[in-house]
Amino acid sequence: MSAAPLRMPVAAERTDIHDAATALFSALADAEAPDRIQQDRLPTAGETANAQIDVAWPLARVVSFDVFDTLLVRKVANPRDVFLHLATPAPFAEWSLDPQVLARQRQEAEHSARQAGRTARRSGEVTLHEIHAALAQLLGRPLSDVPAMVRAEQMLERALCVAHPHLRTVFDRAVRDGKTIWCVSDTYHDATFLRELLDGCGFVMDGVSVVSSADRRMSKGDGALLKTVAAESNIAHSTVLHIGDHPVADFTLPAKQGILAVLHPWAASRHDDPPSQSPGDAIALGLAQIGSRTVEPAFPFWWRFGYSVAGPMLSAFAYWLHARLVTDGVQRAYFLLRDGEIILDVYRAVIGDQPGPVTTLLESSRRAFVLPGIESGRNALTSQLLACENPRPAREFLERLGVPAADYSRAFRAVGFASLDDIVAPDDTVGMHRILALFGRQDVMTAVLVRSQSERQLLWRFLEQEGVLAPGRIGLVDIGWSGTIQKALVASAALEKHPLDAIGYYLGTLPPIREDLAPSAAFGFLFDAGHPAENARAVIELRQLVEFICTTTRGSLRGFRADGNRVLPVHATVDHSPAQQQHIGQLRDGALAYARGLSQERRVFGSQVVGQDAALRHLARTIRRPTTEEAEAIGEIRHGEGLGADRLRTFAAFGEAPHTRASLLRDYRNAYWPTGLLARREPAALALRSLLWMQAQ
């Protein structure tokens, strides 16, 4: 029976395409998943795989499992990353080998051994002993070293392998149901070692058949191994359920042979995961992948995002930060609120009780620190008076500084505003020119400077109260970009004629960091003054996402007030909806769970550096190549620039229907994250992609 053809309706009006896009989207979704209507959504890959296993289960006498990335996962980002750790154990440690060079040589040795096997016996399946014999030759070592070299790699596998969280439950189900169980692997490890590895990871191996391609000199990849095992067991292919992660060896070929094959979607390492650059990176990325990819049902999106994206980035930053603080002789490190709160939590989780400076949170914000330093005339601060990410009434440019706009209505009219409520947008050249002219007026700037002096007195009292002005070198820790708060603090210190020995440590800094920074200094981790440029470009495409990662559920700091002998912070109301506050909490929990896990792994594998690549890889991929789930979850986040009165807009979401050509293109232009808007799975996104395609023709 052939499927019914898809029918695409034509919209009544060319400018209103919402109904047509909705109908087309629904037709496509129904064709892909006919039961979508009952579920009110498309099933996840995990739900689909579990359903396939459940359907095949009653028919299966044998349940056959692939081993690596099915029953076992390695705590590295890519299977080849195991070799990055090979330089650590004896006998390799005694030879003082570079980890990356040795990893390449280990790969070359395997390739050489497989080539020799194809020549000698027409099979590229080789043993670990044969590989290390080839490696010994590359290293100029005697063959008598080979057994110790083999033991070293086996020791690494024992340290790196853990049971797959979800597929362990499927294995245990097979044991409970009395199924015959096979563990069949394309690998250079022999069956004896595989059995030992599985047993060490907690699998009940009594009565389980373990089959290795290295022993049999045949592979699942050419269809021979499973076929041979079934023939030896005298069992019909139709009664074998095989579960694995390789699309050909574990799915296409077994299915062609009549085996009930299920390609599972929970592999920690996927074909498009590039190898790591260092042992520390390998562990950092591998841990993130296990926690975010191998659990079913999956944790909430924002927990997974915190674990796999925010966790590696913030943990790597924390390790770099601790080393810098100690090297630079910083005595007190202040983590600037709001962004510094999660950074400090992660720092303490990964650093623990290691020696270092005293760490504390410091109430701060651009609004509360910049205005007190405006009198210095530094361009890095005065430019903040014009900061505008979202459209806002002209009056807010003064009112967010604590200056009543109504008292200067004539000044507004004099520069061309018809009303205090005229809307000024970031791309409104005329409006922004008028705001610049407004602040150029003597009466307006006099009011701003009076306010600045008043607020500087309170700020200075607060800093003395918190110990910031005590003698000794201090560190300021924040997200970064241009280091505005640090510059404002330096400017206020100059106005107060107070010596300040401060260094800024940031997740990343852009070229403007150098402007008006002296006499202090600043350093960035992911990128420093915009270098490496590729790292900076990746983050700045959606820097607001990093700002959201580092936000909190408290309101932003507006300034300070005196309360007797104390100076207290004044906060704005919380600018996150209840749902967004829940997302922030889940993100934080995921990031801290990752930080604690990485700290434990570093105690096992040593304190290797986690570099920029590992810190940035998952964030950059999310920003540039988001999944549908990422686009929709992240796209709904509402964000503002956080300087005084806030105006929020979503990262990447469509306005309310009905959608027109003009409204869709407007949503695209106004999105913080156009890539995310295009990646959404809804009728409006389908229509927008079509419009952009037609415009390009």
Side-chain angles (χ1 to χ4, degrees), residues 279-527:
D281 286 6
I283 293 293
L285 291 167
L287 185 66
Q289 292 168 185
I290 291 173
S292 61
R293 295 178 177 178
T294 62
V295 178
E296 178 70 23
F299 288 111
F301 172 81
W302 284 107
W303 190 97
R304 284 182 280 125
F305 181 86
Y307 192 95
S308 64
V309 178
M313 178 179 70
L314 296 178
S315 297
F317 178 41
Y319 288 124
W320 172 86
L321 173 63
H322 180 257
R324 287 301 312 240
L325 291 172
V326 172
T327 300
D328 294 342
V330 170
Q331 294 171 286
R332 304 183 306 281
Y334 295 97
F335 291 69
L336 306 182
L337 280 170
R338 296 189 291 177
D339 300 336
E341 186 171 52
I342 190 172
I343 298 174
L344 178 56
D345 288 341
V346 170
Y347 178 90
R348 288 174 172 170
V350 299
I351 299 304
D353 58 0
Q354 296 180 50
V358 175
T359 59
T360 188
L361 288 169
L362 180 67
E363 291 277 5
S364 57
S365 69
R366 282 188 298 157
R367 166 60 185 82
F369 276 56
V370 166
L371 185 58
I374 284 292
E375 191 178 350
S376 68
R378 300 188 182 203
N379 182 64
L381 304 187
T382 57
S383 63
Q384 293 295 312
L385 299 176
L386 307 180
C388 178
E389 245 179 45
N390 297 307
R392 63 178 68 247
R395 65 165 61 243
E396 286 187 3
F397 286 86
L398 276 187
E399 290 174 347
R400 67 188 184 181
L401 303 178
V403 177
D407 293 351
Y408 298 91
S409 55
R410 282 194 294 179
F412 277 88
R413 288 195 297 272
V415 298
F417 287 112
S419 163
L420 298 180
D421 295 315
D422 284 1
I423 299 298
V424 179
D427 58 353
D428 176 3
T429 305
V430 173
M432 293 305 298
H433 181 76
R434 288 171 178 166
I435 293 295
L436 180 62
L438 181 72
F439 281 106
R441 290 177 57 92
Q442 184 174 355
D443 55 345
V444 172
M445 276 309 298
T446 298
V448 170
L449 291 175
V450 168
R451 184 71 184 179
S452 168
Q453 292 165 1
S454 172
E455 292 204 11
R456 188 167 68 251
Q457 293 176 5
L458 286 170
L459 170 63
W460 216 243
R461 285 178 58 190
F462 176 76
L463 295 174
E464 285 184 317
Q465 169 187 296
E466 299 302 308
V468 177
L469 303 181
R473 174 165 289 177
I474 65 171
L476 304 174
V477 184
D478 201 358
I479 290 181
W481 311 155
S482 299
T484 303
I485 294 177
Q486 179 183 354
K487 293 173 182 177
L489 181 58
V490 169
S492 291
L495 291 169
E496 294 292 324
K497 297 180 172 54
H498 182 95
L500 189 68
D501 185 4
I503 302 177
Y505 301 94
Y506 300 108
L507 198 58
T509 62
L510 297 170
I513 190 70
R514 305 300 185 213
E515 180 185 7
D516 293 332
L517 184 65
S520 63
F523 303 97
F525 169 53
L526 294 177
F527 44 95

Side-chain angles (χ1 to χ4, degrees), residues 44 480 508:
T44 66

Side-chain angles (χ1 to χ4, degrees), residues 597-617:
L598 183 60
S599 178
Q600 292 174 357
E601 297 303 332
R602 281 169 60 92
R603 286 195 286 271
V604 174
F605 293 98
S607 299
Q608 296 114 335
V609 172
V610 179
Q612 296 170 329
D613 177 70
L616 188 56
R617 182 182 295 184

